[in-house]
Amino acid sequence: RREAFLRRDFDHFKIKVIRGNVNTRLRKLDDGEYDAIVLAVAGLKRLGKEFENRIEEYLEPPHFLYGVGQGCLGLQCREDDEDIIKILQSAEHWESSARCRCERALLKLMEAGCQVPLGVHSEIRNNNGRCILSLACTVLTEDGKTSIHATMLGDPEEPEELGRKLAKKNPSGRGESNIGWRERE
């Protein structure tokens, strides 16, 4: 996904794959093996200020969309452990949960795994005193030369429904253009 977005927006870049943990990747940058590297902001922030301070530019929506559920943490427990379930429910962040659930519903219906260059952006915003859930999705070809994009609004109380509705506009998930999706070249 990241590579396809970069190829779409910066076709003059020479893009190379980088492997290793964050420290290894930053060392390769510092040693001059790369002019720049792209890392997830959420991961760098979780690692602390030393890593967060290395961020020089944010690649953000609406042009650069993130992966489904990026930055979210999922917790699970035994389904019959009511005490733990209550504790986990008290820690749930309603907005993050709704956003993640709509993104995952979209991904599931599109049958798009980690090999499909697909980015999303969801947010809950106030619209004249009423909460609205917004979901945007861009699907790209691997070379980034073609991309399609769609956005839809829905009820944050029914986030999966929004994800399914948007996915149905482009059921293949493979970059073919359909009505309601805007093609970019």
Side-chain angles (χ1 to χ4, degrees):
R1 173 190 48 85
R2 290 179 184 144
E3 185 175 335
F5 273 105
L6 289 169
R7 289 186 188 286
R8 181 193 69 185
D9 296 342
F10 307 100
D11 61 349
H12 60 286
F13 281 8
K14 180 180 177 185
I15 298 172
K16 300 188 319 184
V17 174
I18 187 169
R19 300 278 181 226
N21 63 31
V22 174
N23 285 323
T24 299
R25 293 174 189 207
L26 289 172
R27 182 183 43 75
K28 289 177 179 183
L29 174 67
D30 295 341
D31 290 347
E33 292 181 46
Y34 295 86
D35 294 324
I37 59 175
V38 177
L39 299 169
V41 169
L44 292 172
K45 285 184 174 184
R46 272 193 215 112
L47 291 170
K49 282 287 185 199
E50 174 188 349
F51 293 93
E52 185 177 354
N53 290 339
R54 298 287 308 255
I55 299 171
E56 295 204 18
E57 186 166 340
Y58 292 86
L59 304 174
E60 298 180 302
H63 302 293
F64 201 93
L65 305 186
Y66 52 84
V68 168
Q70 184 146 358
C72 290
L73 297 175
L75 304 173
Q76 64 183 44
C77 69
R78 293 178 303 279
E79 64 183 311
D80 62 346
D81 194 333
E82 293 179 22
D83 292 335
I84 296 297
I85 290 171
K86 286 179 185 174
I87 292 170
L88 294 178
Q89 286 174 335
S90 71
E92 180 181 19
H93 184 257
W94 174 84
E95 182 177 326
S96 297
S97 177
R99 292 175 60 198
C100 189
R101 288 167 41 211
C102 79
E103 294 170 9
R104 289 175 52 93
L106 170 105
L107 187 70
K108 181 179 180 180
L109 193 60
M110 290 183 75
E111 298 179 2
C114 59
Q115 299 303 313
V116 176
L118 178 147
V120 296
H121 175 64
S122 63
E123 64 182 341
I124 295 178
R125 56 183 182 229
N126 185 323
N127 186 14
N128 296 323
R130 186 172 155 244
C131 283
I132 297 290
L133 177 58
S134 170
L135 177 60
C137 178
T138 298
V139 182
L140 305 100
T141 54
E142 287 185 26
D143 63 7
K145 291 184 179 175
T146 302
S147 64
I148 54 175
H149 180 83
T151 302
M152 188 175 275
L153 302 176
D155 183 349
E157 296 291 336
E158 298 180 23
E160 291 89 352
E161 183 62 24
L162 175 60
R164 287 189 294 268
K165 281 182 179 178
L166 188 57
K168 287 177 183 174
K169 284 189 162 191
N170 184 33
S172 70
R174 298 206 183 2
E176 290 89 0
S177 182
N178 277 312
I179 294 171
W181 286 73
R182 197 171 64 249
E183 189 164 332
R184 299 176 179 171
E185 284 205 56

